[in-house]
Amino acid sequence: MELENGTMVKEFILLGLTQSQNIQLLVFVLILIFYLIILPGNFLIIFTIRSDPGLTAPLYFFLGNLAFLDASYSFIVAPRMLVDFLSEKKVISYRGCITQLFFLHFLGGGEGLLLVVMAFDRYIAICRPLHYSTVMNPRACYALLLALWLGGFVHSIIQVALILHLPFCGPNQLDNFFCDVPQVIKLACTDTLVVELLMVFNSGLLTLLCFLGLLSSYAVILCHVHGSASEGKSKALSTCTTHIIIILLMFGPAIFIYTRPFRALPVDKVVSFFHTVIFPLMNPVIYTLRNQEVKSSMRRLLSRHVVC
C-alpha cells in the first residue's frame, strides 16, 4: 500500500562494503576485535570519570560525554554490519533506514558540537585562566551539554524531514553498508537537486565551518601557549594536540562525504567505514592515552578491583 508521501518502497537492499568474501571476513574480524577491546575501554573511561572525585573538571566531564556519544554512535552501524556479513540477503526496512539515518546524524551532529564546546573549554582554561572557574561553572557545563544535544537533534530532524517528503518507487538498492543521506536521496523518483543543495548546506557547510573554526581556535591557543613560560605548557600542548587529532579524524571524512554534490566515488565506502565504525571507537581512547590523570585513575580503579 502506498504511503502518504508517495513512498512505495518498503525496504532497501544494502549492497554492502564489498562483494569479496575474503575482504568481508577480514572486516568482520577487524570490527569484532574493535568491539571486544575498545568498546569496553570506552565504558571504562566513563566509569572512571564518574567514580573518581579528582576528575571533576569540565575537561573530564566533556571527555566522559564524548566516550558516551562515541559508544552510542558505534551501535548505529557496526552491529547490523556484523549481522549482514553473515546474511545472504542484506535488507533494511524503509522505517529502519530512516531511523538509522536519524540517529547517525543526531549523535554525529552532537559530537561535532561537543568538540566545539571542548575547544571553547580549552580556550578559556589556557587563554583566560583567571575567568575559567566563573565561565565554566557546573551550570554552564550542563547548559552547553543540553545545547549540543538540542543542536544535534535539530540538525538530524532537518535531514529526516527532507527525505520523508521524497517519493521512493524503485529501484531500492543502496550501494552502501548502511543508510545515509547521499545514497538514499539518489533513489528518489523525482528531481533531487534542491534537496541535495539543502542537504549540503545543512551537513556539509556547517561541518566545514565548524572545522575551520576549530582549527582557528586551536591555532590561537597554540600561539598563546608557545608564547607563555608557564609550568603547564607541555600539558596544554599535549591536550591541544590530542584535540586536533580527534578533529581531523571526525571532520575530515565528514567534509569529504557531505560538502560535495552527491556523486559516488570509489573511495566513499572506505571513508564511510572509518567514519562510522573505526574512528568513533578510537576517539576517547586517543584522548585517554594522552591524558596522564585519566590513565592514573584507571590504573587505581583496576588495581582496587583486582585486589578485591
Side-chain angles (χ1 to χ4, degrees):
M1 185 169 61
E2 189 172 338
L3 301 179
E4 289 183 2
N5 68 342
T7 298
M8 291 178 286
V9 170
K10 302 298 182 184
E11 62 183 24
F12 293 107
I13 299 173
L14 302 174
L15 298 184
L17 182 64
T18 176
Q19 301 301 313
S20 169
Q21 293 294 327
N22 292 331
I23 297 179
Q24 285 190 27
L25 179 61
L26 177 63
V27 174
F28 178 86
V29 173
L30 178 64
I31 297 175
L32 198 58
I33 291 173
F34 264 79
Y35 253 70
L36 294 178
I37 297 176
I38 299 181
L39 186 59
N42 284 355
F43 288 116
L44 178 61
I45 294 169
I46 298 172
F47 182 71
T48 301
I49 293 173
R50 294 283 295 176
S51 61
D52 192 336
L55 300 178
T56 56
L59 171 65
Y60 304 115
F61 172 75
F62 293 126
L63 176 57
N65 281 279
L66 176 69
F68 175 77
L69 273 172
D70 277 326
S72 302
Y73 192 85
S74 68
F75 282 110
I76 300 173
V77 175
R80 183 178 186 90
M81 190 179 182
L82 289 173
V83 173
D84 285 343
F85 279 139
L86 305 176
S87 304
E88 189 170 327
K89 190 177 182 182
K90 304 170 179 61
V91 176
I92 185 172
S93 68
Y94 174 80
R95 293 181 185 274
C97 181
I98 297 299
T99 301
Q100 186 181 66
L101 191 149
F102 168 78
F103 282 105
L104 190 74
H105 286 270
F106 174 40
L107 297 176
E111 182 173 347
L113 293 174
L114 177 57
L115 293 177
V116 173
V117 170
M118 294 177 78
F120 175 72
D121 171 74
R122 289 301 85 201
Y123 173 79
I124 299 297
I126 295 171
C127 300
R128 299 289 186 271
L130 297 179
H131 300 90
Y132 185 72
S133 59
T134 303
V135 176
M136 299 304 295
N137 58 71
R139 179 177 293 183
C141 290
Y142 281 107
L144 289 170
L145 186 65
L146 178 63
L148 69 88
W149 279 100
L150 182 61
F153 177 80
V154 172
H155 161 72
S156 184
I157 207 69
I158 292 174
Q159 306 278 86
V160 171
L162 290 172
I163 288 180
L164 286 176
H165 284 83
L166 294 176
F168 294 93
C169 50
N172 67 335
Q173 289 188 336
L174 277 174
D175 189 18
N176 212 336
F177 55 93
F178 69 106
C179 285
D180 200 6
V181 175
Q183 293 78 29
V184 174
I185 282 183
K186 284 303 176 186
L187 297 182
C189 305
T190 186
D191 181 23
T192 60
L193 178 61
V194 174
V195 177
E196 287 185 35
L197 292 176
L198 289 173
M199 292 292 187
V200 168
F201 176 79
N202 184 40
S203 291
L205 183 59
L206 290 180
T207 300
L208 183 60
L209 290 176
C210 284
F211 176 71
L212 295 176
L214 284 167
L215 289 185
S216 300
S217 66
Y218 279 111
V220 172
I221 293 172
L222 290 173
C223 288
H224 181 86
V225 171
H226 187 265
S228 67
S230 61
E231 295 180 358
K233 183 176 180 178
S234 60
K235 180 181 177 181
L237 284 173
S238 177
T239 302
C240 290
T241 303
T242 305
H243 286 207
I244 292 171
I245 292 172
I246 300 301
I247 289 168
L248 293 174
L249 292 179
M250 168 75 181
F251 284 94
I255 290 171
F256 178 81
I257 295 170
Y258 299 115
T259 57
R260 56 186 170 83
F262 296 152
R263 300 292 181 266
L265 295 177
V267 296
D268 281 355
K269 289 184 182 181
V270 177
V271 174
S272 296
F273 172 68
F274 281 95
H275 181 56
T276 59
V277 180
I278 303 299
F279 291 156
L281 290 171
M282 292 178 61
N283 288 348
V285 176
I286 294 173
Y287 267 110
T288 304
L289 291 177
R290 295 179 62 90
N291 190 295
Q292 191 59 44
E293 287 83 359
V294 177
K295 285 194 293 185
S296 299
S297 180
M298 290 177 69
R299 282 195 290 266
R300 290 195 301 268
L301 181 66
L302 292 172
S303 63
R304 286 202 303 267
H305 281 78
V306 169
V307 171
C308 294

